[in-house]
Amino acid sequence: MALTMDDVDRFEASRPRMEAIAYRLLGSASEAEDAVQETFLRWQAADVDHIEVPEAWLTKVLTNLCLNQLTSARARRETYVGQWLPEPLLAGDPMLGPADTAEQRESVSYAVLALLERLSPNERAVYVLKEAFDYPHREIAEILDITEAASQQIFHRAKKHVAAGKARTEIDEAAARRVIDEFLAAATSGRTEPLVRLLTQDAVSIGDGGGKVPARAKAFEGALAVAKFMRGLFKPSKAKRDLAGGSPEIYATTANGDPAIVAVLDGRVIGVMCLEITEEGIAAFRNQVNPDKLERATERWATADHGDPLLHAF
């Protein structure tokens, strides 16, 4: 049946929520957009006049499309070149979704999205729907075709897994900027000691180049190893400038609600470094340099004024 304008408007009103759900489930903005578009095609083919609760119907279709995608994504990631990290979303991106509560902000943080990769598809779906969007277990059970008791058990298990690996502390924008300023000052000092003092003892640095940009396949672990890597990363050299195609501008911002450093070259985002902050210091750097995962960041970057760069790298 052909959709009326009211039917299309009803879908479009749900699009922001669906994109935010799909992004949290998939960790990819482009895949989230594809899943929402496929949901629209299913909506277009359905007898919408007989759908009693459109939002519930759309959420069920979208979630199950994402579950199928997650199953196939696991197989693809086994052959992924190097470390796999989610696609970062810069400050103000509507796909970040609701951010009214600490739970909602945390559910889309880069640190938690990375942790969600450890969960089974069903665990991830229950966690996202409950923690980020406050769906009752009765509705989650209907969406996933499980019992309400099973939904409660899965949520408890998923939350336990996420909490076990989570050290992130929520800080305000001013505090985040201070951390970034201190880090950049230490990283460009040419010395290791100032960096070590900013890091937790078990700090890690992970890079995702997707086989397209050089990135170490194994994470750097421990404060000293991470500090040495960061000191070398920010040390100027002709080889780095040649590899990047110039001297990138470095800015401070947030990505997925976390303090972040963005490297921009000729208007194109070529790297996003997300910092995981704890009371003890910087616990993790997650560095996205895969150009396929930075296209949306570049589009977002072009729409806002970011002031002068903090420095030029390399």
Side-chain angles (χ1 to χ4, degrees):
M1 294 179 63
L3 294 181
T4 66
M5 285 305 301
D6 285 345
D7 296 330
V8 174
D9 289 345
R10 196 178 306 168
F11 181 90
E12 290 302 324
S14 295
R15 184 183 289 274
R17 177 184 55 83
M18 289 193 290
E19 287 188 345
I21 291 173
Y23 172 70
R24 284 168 167 82
L25 288 176
L26 300 172
S28 165
S30 58
E31 291 180 3
E33 289 175 334
D34 290 344
V36 172
Q37 184 58 28
E38 180 60 31
T39 302
F40 176 74
L41 295 178
R42 304 286 180 93
W43 174 251
Q44 194 174 37
D47 186 357
V48 296
D49 290 339
H50 290 84
I51 295 175
E52 294 183 4
V53 186
E55 181 178 300
W57 187 94
L58 291 169
T59 303
K60 181 180 179 72
V61 171
L62 174 74
T63 302
N64 283 284
L65 285 170
C66 289
L67 289 177
N68 293 337
Q69 180 76 1
L70 279 173
T71 302
S72 62
R74 286 195 161 200
R76 290 199 310 275
R77 286 170 195 169
E78 288 178 3
T79 59
Y80 191 81
V81 179
Q83 300 279 341
W84 186 94
L85 288 173
E87 182 177 346
L89 298 182
L90 299 184
D93 193 311
M95 198 175 280
L96 289 168
D100 298 326
T101 67
E103 290 80 11
Q104 288 173 337
R105 293 189 293 274
E106 188 173 78
S107 71
V108 79
S109 74
Y110 213 56
V112 168
L113 282 180
L115 287 170
L116 292 182
E117 288 295 306
R118 303 179 184 180
L119 305 183
S120 70
N122 258 21
E123 286 174 337
R124 188 164 183 164
V126 172
Y127 180 86
V128 165
L129 291 172
K130 180 62 179 174
E131 192 79 345
F133 295 90
D134 200 28
Y135 276 80
H137 284 292
R138 174 182 55 78
E139 291 185 24
I140 295 173
E142 292 174 358
I143 289 169
L144 298 177
D145 292 325
I146 58 177
T147 66
E148 189 171 344
S151 177
Q152 292 170 338
Q153 292 170 357
I154 291 170
F155 177 69
H156 177 75
R157 186 166 65 242
K159 196 164 185 179
K160 187 176 180 181
H161 286 325
V162 173
K166 183 181 61 183
R168 177 179 178 269
T169 298
E170 193 170 14
I171 61 176
D172 61 33
E173 188 173 341
R177 177 58 187 268
R178 287 195 297 271
V179 170
I180 289 177
D181 287 344
E182 289 178 11
F183 166 72
L184 287 176
T188 55
S189 70
R191 297 184 297 127
T192 303
E193 295 79 10
L195 279 165
V196 171
R197 288 196 292 270
L198 294 176
L199 309 179
T200 62
Q201 289 187 345
D202 59 351
V204 297
S205 177
I206 305 167
D208 179 350
K212 299 186 176 185
V213 173
R216 193 169 187 256
K218 186 178 179 182
F220 290 93
E221 298 181 353
L224 184 58
V226 172
K228 287 181 177 179
F229 167 67
M230 290 298 168
R231 182 193 65 190
L233 180 65
F234 284 89
K235 184 178 181 180
S237 77
K238 183 178 183 300
K240 291 176 188 171
R241 289 192 295 273
D242 290 344
L243 181 63
S247 182
E249 297 173 336
I250 302 300
Y251 295 85
T253 185
T254 61
N256 295 73
D258 294 325
I261 295 168
V262 177
V264 181
L265 185 63
D266 297 329
R268 179 171 53 91
V269 174
I270 64 169
V272 176
M273 177 186 288
C274 294
L275 282 64
E276 182 180 343
I277 310 298
T278 73
E279 293 181 355
E280 291 76 34
I282 304 173
F285 299 89
R286 295 182 175 87
N287 314 309
Q288 185 56 261
V289 292
N290 183 344
D292 292 344
K293 298 183 182 181
L294 295 172
E295 292 179 359
R296 186 180 179 95
T298 294
E299 293 173 2
R300 186 75 197 171
W301 192 259
T303 65
D305 178 18
H306 304 282
D308 296 328
L310 300 178
L311 56 91
H312 285 77
F314 315 149

